[in-house]
Amino acid sequence: MNPLVHQALHTETIELAQNQCLSGLLRFITAGSVDDGKSTLIGRLLYDTGNVAADQLASIQATSQKRGLAAIDWSLLTDGLIAEREQGITIDVAYRYFSTARRKFIIGDAPGHEQYTRNMVTAASSADLAILLVDARKGVITQTRRHAYLAHLLGIRELVLAVNKMDLVDWQPSIYRSIVDEFNAFVSQLGRHHVQAIPLSALNGTNVATHAEAIPWYDGPSLLEHLESIPSRRDADQTPMRLPVQRVVRVMMGNGANGATEKEFRGYQGTLASGHLHVGDEVEVMPSGQRARVTGLNIADQALQKASADRSVVVSLDREIDISRGDMLSDPIQLPRVTKGITADVCWLSEQPLQTHGKYLIKHTTRSVNALFDDLIYRVDVNTLAHEAAPESAVMNDILRVKLKLQQPLFVDNYSDNRTTGSFIVIDPVSFHTVAAGVII
């Protein structure tokens, strides 16, 4: 698509959302290299939107003074782990919740150090938007490209390039534009994305919550203004119904006294991965292929007529079918793919290299199966996006396209169609450590 047409369509979407008083929940992550200011930016957002309690503010003020800092260290609001405080870096995903008059937000503060790229993958898997921070003094670096590629891999199409610490380069527009041009040139190779570049200073709060009039050469939105205008992606409701069974619920009804007859209630508990489920709907059970109608939907003691994506429910059916954990209730018209072999893009997360002939476990929704890496098709160079054909193995943070051979079938969709049924993790069956995360193509 022509970039100008794409921009016009994007602008039209933004204006429509604004006219409809957009208030949906927005999930976003911050990512970047060490010391780019991610935690500081989040702390500043929380403070400027009035989401910092008085006792929290007093605590971080006192801690900042003890460290001899002239200004408040806003990163203290998110870097909660002792190890993080000692090292001055983020090593785990810190989730924070805040709201403005227009909408609610969930932030995932992803680690910047290359060693913890796996945490960034976790945070990005449920995000609608990614804020990629760049230190204006350093520009676009390898970790910037890696995070942009991972965001692309995990289906995030809304990107914010936050060029931070602009105050340390005297707000020079030439430096900002050079960084933006280099980043856009890289992202344009990945496919269709929308990138909103924003110059800011997280420490000072410039262009974070409100538009900075002091930057005459920038006429775009502040970071918060942009976040409030982006439509959240709730496409899970629009995709075919999938309910992975997590647990079979059996309850004996009646006590047999005074001639009462005991009767077993059987239900199937799980979280609706996508679509809608109504009482009276017909479902197909995978892998048996048998069909039944829904006679009841319950959550705790509450009976429902309808359940939507992300809702945990107990489903009762009009006939007895042999169903167990790992099976799936599906839309009988639009079924998932039943397969014992998948092609996927994976990010290797373990310090232990991939063993091409080793056995692994694939955890997909509520189902776990034995698997082998049947073929390593190529490895991606995140700097050039070049493909290294047929690598012999993989080390931590490598991104590869692979073929996996499964001992038992999985019920899958492409990741581009369904984030839940299109993703999986790889587990070492000896240590039970998660060694990779993948998306099905």
Side-chain angles (χ1 to χ4, degrees):
M1 179 180 289
N2 184 293
L4 293 177
V5 176
H6 180 204
Q7 179 62 41
L9 290 174
H10 181 82
T11 302
E12 185 180 16
T13 301
I14 297 293
E15 291 174 349
L16 178 62
Q18 290 172 336
N19 292 336
Q20 292 177 341
C21 299
L22 179 70
S23 59
L25 174 69
L26 183 75
R27 296 175 173 88
F28 68 91
I29 62 166
T30 58
S33 188
V34 175
D35 294 330
D36 280 348
K38 302 175 303 302
S39 299
T40 299
L41 177 63
I42 292 176
R44 190 80 211 195
L45 264 177
L46 295 174
Y47 174 72
D48 287 350
T49 55
N51 286 273
V52 178
D55 57 339
Q56 283 182 297
L57 182 60
S59 176
I60 64 171
Q61 284 177 326
T63 303
S64 300
Q65 290 174 356
K66 288 179 182 178
R67 294 183 176 183
L69 302 176
I72 294 176
D73 183 357
W74 297 109
S75 68
L76 295 174
L77 283 171
T78 56
D79 288 350
L81 299 178
I82 294 176
E84 290 179 355
R85 295 288 182 87
E86 291 175 346
Q87 298 179 53
I89 63 172
T90 303
I91 63 175
D92 202 353
V93 180
Y95 290 98
R96 292 294 181 270
Y97 308 85
F98 77 102
S99 61
T100 66
R102 295 203 64 193
R103 80 185 319 168
K104 296 179 180 179
F105 302 89
I106 299 177
I107 318 170
D109 179 19
H113 198 285
E114 183 176 349
Q115 179 182 355
Y116 302 106
T117 298
R118 57 186 179 269
N119 304 66
M120 187 270 183
V121 172
T122 301
S125 63
S126 60
D128 304 305
L129 175 147
I131 300 175
L132 305 179
L133 271 83
V134 173
D135 187 326
R137 301 167 299 176
K138 301 175 183 177
V140 176
I141 60 175
T142 297
Q143 193 70 332
T144 312
R145 296 185 182 93
R146 176 177 287 108
H147 285 157
Y149 190 86
L150 288 171
H152 161 76
L153 202 65
L154 293 166
I156 301 175
R157 298 296 177 256
E158 289 289 343
L159 305 177
V160 173
L161 178 66
V163 185
N164 192 25
K165 305 186 181 182
M166 282 295 296
D167 53 315
L168 300 183
V169 295
D170 298 324
W171 297 94
Q172 295 183 51
S174 59
I175 293 178
Y176 168 76
R177 288 168 185 149
S178 175
I179 292 171
V180 173
D181 289 345
E182 182 178 356
F183 184 79
N184 283 338
F186 175 78
V187 170
S188 66
Q189 302 174 68
L190 299 177
R192 180 176 174 177
H193 296 78
H194 176 258
V195 179
Q196 175 66 56
I198 302 175
L200 54 84
S201 170
L203 183 63
N204 300 330
T206 308
N207 222 21
V208 175
T210 56
H211 177 73
E213 301 294 340
I215 315 174
W217 48 266
Y218 175 74
D219 59 0
S222 70
L223 177 61
L224 183 61
E225 288 170 344
H226 182 66
L227 294 177
E228 287 183 325
S229 70
I230 291 296
S232 61
R233 190 182 72 174
R234 298 303 299 150
D235 53 3
D237 282 345
Q238 309 306 317
T239 51
M241 193 280 294
R242 307 282 187 259
L243 193 147
V245 176
Q246 183 175 7
R247 178 170 170 257
V248 178
V249 180
R250 294 183 177 89
V251 180
M252 297 305 298
M253 310 295 289
N255 55 18
N258 298 322
T261 302
E262 290 190 357
K263 183 180 180 181
E264 182 185 49
F265 165 81
R266 179 180 294 181
Y268 309 99
Q269 188 176 45
T271 299
L272 202 62
S274 58
H276 299 277
L277 189 59
H278 302 77
V279 173
D281 282 353
E282 186 178 41
V283 298
E284 184 162 324
V285 181
M286 316 295 293
S288 70
Q290 297 187 71
R291 295 189 178 188
R293 289 202 177 272
V294 176
T295 56
L297 296 171
N298 293 83
I299 177 170
D301 294 328
Q302 179 185 0
L304 307 174
Q305 289 298 310
K306 171 186 173 183
S308 301
D310 299 329
R311 173 63 70 93
S312 296
V313 292
V314 176
V315 181
S316 51
L317 302 176
D318 66 350
R319 53 179 295 214
E320 289 191 9
I321 299 176
D322 184 13
I323 300 174
S324 59
R325 176 182 170 85
D327 292 351
M328 183 182 291
L329 308 184
S330 300
D331 182 329
I333 306 302
Q334 302 179 78
L335 293 169
R337 193 164 75 247
V338 181
T339 180
K340 294 179 72 173
I342 55 177
T343 301
D345 291 327
V346 302
C347 180
W348 193 256
L349 308 176
S350 174
E351 295 178 356
Q352 300 298 318
L354 185 156
Q355 303 296 319
T356 52
H357 299 294
K359 294 182 179 179
Y360 293 95
L361 283 172
I362 297 295
K363 177 72 165 61
H364 174 264
T365 62
T366 59
R367 191 173 181 87
S368 297
V369 302
N370 292 317
L372 293 172
F373 282 86
D374 192 41
D375 186 17
L376 306 186
I377 302 172
Y378 61 75
R379 174 168 36 219
V380 178
D381 184 324
V382 295
N383 284 304
T384 65
L385 298 181
H387 294 171
E388 176 194 342
E392 294 183 359
S393 184
V395 297
M396 188 170 69
N397 294 328
D398 275 353
I399 299 168
L400 309 97
R401 178 156 294 182
V402 304
K403 287 186 177 179
L404 287 157
K405 184 181 292 185
L406 313 173
Q407 191 175 60
Q408 295 176 310
L410 293 178
F411 326 120
V412 306
D413 296 287
N414 289 347
Y415 185 81
S416 58
D417 297 325
N418 191 313
R419 278 188 169 188
T420 302
T421 57
S423 61
F424 61 90
I425 59 173
V426 184
I427 299 171
D428 184 319
V430 177
S431 66
F432 288 99
H433 291 164
T434 299
V435 295
V439 298
I440 298 167
I441 58 174

